Amino acid sequence: MTEPRLTQFRNGPHTFDVIDSGPLDGTPVVLLHGFPQRASAWNQVAEHLHARGLRTYAPDQRGYSPGARPKSRFAYGMAALTSDIVALIDAIGPGPVHLVGHDWGAAVAWSVAGNHPDRVTSLTAASVPHPGAFIRSMFTSGQALKSYYMALFQLPVLPERMLASGRADSMLRGGGMTREMVEQFHTEIVDHGALRGGLGYYRSILRANPGQLGKKIAVPTTYVWSDNDVALGRKGAEINHRWVSGPYELEIVQGATHWLLDERPAELANSIIKRVGI
């Protein structure tokens, strides 16, 4: 009998959609997307991983899956986001997985690896450093200025209207998105009804538990940072190793913006493959 693909999983009252692809007997790799993208953002990277025999699971996370869009901004705290991915890993079973995240997906991946190391074989985080390194960089570099949009997103209603109407398209383009990526944002996020949920991650950030976010990472870890990232500065990359106690590697992608999945899928895939160890 052919093993079925995992197309959905549940966590409490919420149902999440998953893109399960690659060889059925492949080593499991979980791919977590960021804002403002969905699981499909991993498609190009996943092709390279499949060619090396890896099976990938890319979920539409909380706020993005139609069956997992709670209305309260307080439903998007890191504890809830972390529990969603733990539920996915348990649904994949048995045993731990290689975990990969970009942007907000990286933030969630750091939390999963720090709080549930028994479920993670290795971690590859792209763009966003460990929360401890990010917070420290806010006070010791120009990171706070780069993160101005996080304060803007705290406002009610206005961010949704700006992003949905296209008035913020120039901001997205200025951050490195191509015209095609901006169009995809309007199709997959705005038209799909995922914008409010995606903004919920930012609106819950001030309620984060420092004890949960500050745990050091014991699993083998690679952090991938691009030097033309307008949202994440060099300081966080330079000090990130302080929050990892296990084997660690920093990889800097020269000349790339924040959108590594779209600009440098082969390079990011190679970083993942090297960390997985195949």
Side-chain angles (χ1 to χ4, degrees):
M1 178 180 292
T2 301
E3 181 183 349
R5 292 288 184 181
L6 179 67
T7 59
Q8 291 186 325
F9 72 97
R10 293 186 61 84
N11 186 27
H14 305 303
T15 301
F16 299 81
D17 299 327
V18 184
I19 301 175
D20 171 2
S21 51
L24 287 170
D25 61 348
T27 300
V29 179
V30 172
L31 307 171
L32 305 182
H33 67 84
F35 178 85
Q37 296 181 306
R38 290 171 54 195
S40 59
W42 285 105
N43 288 351
Q44 294 185 74
V45 175
E47 289 181 5
H48 295 281
L49 302 182
H50 301 158
R52 296 297 298 271
L54 300 173
R55 180 174 179 177
T56 59
Y57 299 83
D60 275 340
Q61 295 181 81
R62 181 174 293 231
Y64 297 86
S65 287
R69 293 178 180 168
K71 294 181 179 180
S72 171
R73 65 188 294 171
F74 304 125
Y76 294 88
M78 188 55 71
L81 301 175
T82 299
S83 72
D84 294 338
I85 305 310
V86 170
L88 168 60
I89 295 171
D90 289 347
I92 294 170
V97 302
H98 295 279
L99 186 59
V100 183
H102 172 252
D103 189 78
W104 264 106
V108 176
W110 287 112
S111 178
V112 174
N115 292 281
H116 302 276
D118 58 312
R119 289 178 168 88
V120 179
T121 303
S122 76
L123 169 65
T124 303
S127 300
V128 172
H130 187 285
F134 178 76
I135 294 170
R136 181 68 60 85
S137 70
M138 292 278 280
F139 295 100
T140 58
S141 69
Q143 183 59 56
L145 291 176
K146 290 178 176 288
S147 301
Y148 75 93
Y149 62 92
M150 298 176 71
L152 174 64
F153 288 168
Q154 301 303 313
L155 299 174
V157 182
L158 180 62
E160 283 92 333
R161 289 181 177 176
M162 288 182 61
L163 288 163
S165 68
R167 284 179 287 172
D169 286 1
S170 60
M171 181 181 73
L172 298 176
R173 293 290 302 277
M177 277 191 164
T178 63
R179 189 177 303 277
E180 291 74 19
M181 291 172 66
V182 173
E183 291 175 355
Q184 188 172 16
F185 157 70
H186 284 283
T187 300
E188 293 199 353
I189 302 300
V190 178
D191 296 345
H192 191 63
L195 182 55
R196 180 178 178 181
L199 290 170
Y201 288 49
Y202 295 94
R203 290 167 175 166
S204 292
I205 198 168
L206 296 178
R207 294 173 57 87
N209 182 343
Q212 181 186 38
L213 297 180
K215 292 186 177 180
K216 284 194 174 183
I217 308 302
V219 304
T221 298
T222 296
Y223 174 50
V224 185
W225 176 74
S226 43
D227 62 357
N228 278 345
D229 192 323
V230 300
L232 283 308
R234 182 176 293 272
K235 184 68 173 182
E238 291 176 341
I239 65 175
N240 193 57
H241 65 92
R242 300 178 189 174
W243 283 268
V244 182
S245 61
Y248 175 75
E249 186 170 354
L250 167 65
E251 296 190 359
I252 298 178
V253 183
Q254 303 289 340
T257 73
H258 181 75
W259 309 105
L260 286 168
L261 283 64
D262 302 270
E263 290 183 25
R264 306 287 182 88
E267 290 181 48
L268 181 55
N270 285 337
S271 297
I272 298 167
I273 290 166
K274 184 164 62 173
R275 177 48 69 196
V276 169
I278 61 171

